[in-house]
Amino acid sequence: MSRVFNFSAGPAALPESVLQRAQAECADFRGAGMSVMEMSHRGKIFMEVAEKAERDLRALLNVPDDYAVLFLQGGATGQFAAVPLNLQPGGQAMDYLDTGAWSGKAIKEAQKYGPVNIVASSQSHGYASIPDSSTWKLDPGAAYVHYTPNETIGGVEFHFVPETGDVPLVADMSSTILSRPIDVARYGVIYAGAQKNIGPAGLTVVIVRRDLMERKSAGVPAVLDYALQVKNDSMYNTPPTFAWYLAGLVFEWLMEQGGLAGMAQVNERKARKLYHFVDNSEFYRNPVEPSARSWMNVPFILADDALDGSFLKQAEEAGLSGLKGHRSVGGMRASIYNAVSEAAVDALIEFMADFEQRHA
Ligand SMILES: *Cc1c(COP(=O)(O)O)cnc(C)c1O
């Protein structure tokens, strides 16, 4: 078997040991005579898988009891609608921080459901920084404050939790969840599409403070209805069973790595190495303000963009995959999620240094 170093932004790398275990368990799942994909989600075997995954995720994130954990479908994009539908029944304003492409999409969706107040925007700075919190215009009467802790495309990350007083804080953690410990109690709702740091595409994890579930508007579709899904243990309709199972294997793997404190150490080291290399080169550049640089997504550009094509081609040949930047911004992007090892980052830096030497 030959596996490349995979820097894809999403769907992204999964731990090899997880894939091997899934392969070994595939055709005859734990003695059932069928795969996990072929059995009822309400049967005893799958219920155990589902419950263990939830238990492990709760342990990893230290989720307090007054929070429900949901395993849903529809992606983070589904949650862009679910959040206003569940949390803003009465036409109140909804506060949004505008820090890049994904918060922009969340804002656009929320505007369908009521008035959106842009608390602050870094658009005029090319989304390369986080607006200074002293300039934020929070509405104390807002239904909630939404932000995107890690902007996957811009490579901009909050290294602090916004202070919103009594207004519930909602976070799209798609590309940063499980990269480090967080204090769940600071949030009203946390949601994440699985395909970056949790498991395969098709699963969406939502963590919601239970008291917030009483707010919903009458028109919320059943699949997006937090209270209904909680009441039905995320099984109001058929859940994404395979993705749920695989996420559970990833949670076990994370525990073997020392949990989120262990991951944070490795992730910080990986990111620091790569930024250090880029900053000390005349050939590569990262445009993001140092205090807002992402641990998970590292965009960089070459001094001469005419070399982009050969950089990507030679990287592929060297076993480094998925480095092309998002189509909206160009350049390169290395996504270095939990399952991307430090050895992968070392190999990338070595390749970049070699390419620079040959082309500078
Ligand atoms: C990938 C991503 C999304 C989109 O997720 P889908 O599951 O495709 O809807 C939303 N927000 C962030 C921060 C992302 O990284």
Side-chain angles (χ1 to χ4, degrees):
M1 184 172 58
S2 159
R3 297 211 2 118
V4 296
F5 290 126
N6 181 3
F7 299 95
S8 170
L14 288 162
E16 194 173 319
S17 64
V18 163
L19 297 174
Q20 277 162 355
R21 188 161 158 208
Q23 183 183 37
E25 293 186 328
C26 187
D28 178 7
F29 186 73
R30 301 178 193 173
M34 63 178 85
S35 78
V36 71
M37 289 171 273
E38 301 167 287
M39 59 180 59
S40 168
H41 53 293
R42 301 191 193 282
K44 186 168 176 291
I45 297 180
F46 188 78
M47 290 295 276
E48 274 170 21
V49 169
E51 282 162 15
K52 175 150 199 324
E54 178 176 339
R55 237 178 7 254
D56 288 350
L57 181 60
R58 282 181 173 278
L60 281 165
L61 284 169
N62 210 356
V63 178
D65 287 343
D66 58 331
Y67 285 73
V69 176
L70 294 168
F71 291 80
L72 306 177
Q73 305 192 48
T77 306
Q79 293 305 308
F80 293 168
V83 166
L85 283 163
N86 282 280
L87 301 189
Q88 185 264 26
Q92 284 159 283
M94 300 169 281
D95 273 0
Y96 277 74
L97 279 154
D98 174 32
T99 54
W102 287 116
S103 47
K105 284 200 164 166
I107 288 165
K108 212 170 143 205
E109 192 71 4
Q111 283 167 335
K112 295 179 183 171
Y113 302 103
V116 166
N117 171 46
I118 305 297
V119 172
S121 172
S122 52
Q123 185 181 23
S124 62
H125 297 109
Y127 291 122
S129 62
I130 286 163
D132 187 332
S133 50
S134 68
T135 67
W136 296 4
K137 296 198 166 53
L138 290 162
D139 176 350
Y144 59 88
V145 181
H146 180 281
Y147 83 120
T148 311
N150 186 65
E151 288 280 2
T152 320
I153 294 173
V156 170
E157 183 156 20
F158 285 72
H159 294 286
F160 62 95
V161 181
E163 185 49 68
T164 60
D166 290 336
V167 181
L169 181 61
V170 177
D172 172 4
M173 290 207 186
S174 296
S175 52
T176 184
I177 194 165
L178 302 174
S179 67
R180 71 188 84 184
I182 53 168
D183 181 3
V184 173
R186 298 284 302 274
Y187 297 88
V189 177
I190 291 167
Y191 64 88
Q195 67 273 23
K196 280 82 184 225
N197 237 355
I198 296 176
L203 169 71
T204 316
V205 168
V206 182
I207 303 171
V208 53
R209 211 174 73 208
R210 294 181 194 275
D211 64 304
L212 295 173
M213 294 186 304
E214 281 141 35
R215 294 185 173 193
K216 68 177 168 179
S217 64
V220 56
V223 291
L224 298 180
D225 183 333
Y226 295 155
L228 187 67
Q229 289 286 9
V230 168
K231 205 170 127 216
N232 288 277
D233 297 323
S234 306
M235 294 187 187
Y236 179 74
N237 68 321
T238 315
T241 51
F242 182 76
W244 192 334
Y245 150 70
L246 211 83
L249 297 187
V250 172
F251 301 153
E252 287 181 24
W253 176 82
L254 283 168
M255 289 173 156
E256 290 158 20
Q257 311 305 305
L260 302 192
M263 281 325 300
Q265 277 184 1
V266 179
N267 285 330
E268 185 175 20
R269 203 161 61 227
K270 278 155 45 186
R272 194 184 299 130
K273 264 187 193 177
L274 187 49
Y275 287 117
H276 180 79
F277 171 77
V278 167
D279 286 345
N280 284 286
S281 141
E282 303 274 295
F283 190 78
Y284 302 102
R285 200 169 73 81
N286 169 278
V288 178
E289 186 194 295
S291 66
R293 284 173 167 176
S294 169
W295 284 8
M296 294 283 105
N297 309 97
V298 182
F300 59 91
I301 49 175
L302 311 193
D304 176 5
D305 64 12
L307 290 171
D308 285 5
S310 42
F311 180 91
L312 288 167
K313 183 163 175 288
Q314 291 178 35
E316 284 286 348
E317 285 162 7
L320 308 169
S321 173
L323 288 166
K324 194 171 172 22
H326 190 269
R327 60 188 186 279
S328 65
V329 292
M332 310 299 154
R333 171 177 47 171
S335 294
I336 50 176
Y337 300 121
N338 286 342
V340 178
S341 65
E342 196 163 354
V345 174
D346 291 340
L348 173 61
I349 291 171
E350 195 182 319
F351 169 79
M352 288 170 72
D354 181 58
F355 187 86
E356 175 175 355
Q357 224 164 37
R358 285 182 289 113
H359 295 89

